[in-house]
Amino acid sequence: MTSNTRIVLSSDHAAIEMRQAIAAHIKALGWEVVDIGPTSPESTHYPIHGQAAAHKVASGDCRFGIILCGTGQGIMMAANKVAGVRCGVCLDTFSARMIRAHNDANMLSIGARVVGEGLALDLVDAFLTTEFEAGRHATRVDMIEGASA
Ligand code: RB5
């Protein structure tokens, strides 16, 4: 595990309960949780929450980010606008592993209206326990970063 053990969590109103379940889960695994998401069920705007989390990862303040909205899609799109952030939406554990292994993803997005809590926690585990394989994949990740420079 990296020496930076901080994970930022955020979501919109559609995913508050799932975010809280993930917070408890990763805290129990020894990660420090920086939960910046809303706690009220009032309707809010996912780009605000996705980008606030993305800035914490891009600045190096947090090692990883986990973000959620109804589908996971909108908040992922918003996060990926921040340079240095590589965020994927995952609905299956294979993808959650591969975005770390091949894409060096530093953020995971989950759709709280798409997956149940059990799968969401498995996605988080798959993401957090997989190392980037580097090698030829590093060349490709560098190409992604070049495109956003
Ligand atoms: C909110 O209703 C919903 O649009 C949002 O949570 C998300 O699914 C957007 O991508």
Side-chain angles (χ1 to χ4, degrees):
M1 197 185 279
T2 159
S3 60
N4 182 347
T5 58
R6 287 159 65 81
I7 298 185
V8 60
L9 286 186
S10 198
S11 75
D12 70 359
H13 56 279
I16 291 174
E17 278 182 23
M18 188 174 282
R19 193 186 83 231
Q20 289 168 343
I22 291 172
H25 181 70
I26 61 178
K27 226 178 260 176
L29 294 174
W31 291 91
E32 185 185 340
V33 174
V34 181
D35 188 346
I36 60 170
T39 50
S40 130
E42 226 170 276
S43 182
T44 181
H45 305 301
Y46 59 80
I48 298 170
H49 306 292
Q51 289 180 349
H55 284 295
K56 288 209 166 284
V57 173
S59 69
D61 182 27
C62 293
R63 174 63 186 97
F64 293 120
I66 300 173
I67 53 178
L68 308 94
C69 64
T71 58
Q73 302 289 352
I75 201 162
M76 174 274 290
M77 292 177 200
N80 275 321
K81 292 290 180 184
V82 175
V85 162
R86 291 176 300 282
C87 182
V89 179
C90 293
L91 307 176
D92 62 278
T93 54
F94 176 76
S95 299
R97 283 200 310 276
M98 295 309 281
I99 64 169
R100 287 286 308 124
H102 285 192
N103 313 119
D104 199 17
N106 46 20
M107 294 186 72
L108 169 68
S109 183
I110 298 174
R113 292 175 178 162
V114 185
V115 304
E117 189 178 299
L119 176 53
L121 300 183
D122 281 354
L123 294 172
V124 167
D125 288 343
F127 179 80
L128 293 178
T129 57
T130 306
E131 294 294 330
F132 180 43
E133 288 174 10
R136 69 184 188 283
H137 302 296
T139 307
R140 297 164 186 167
V141 170
D142 286 348
M143 290 166 80
I144 297 174
E145 293 309 313
S148 69

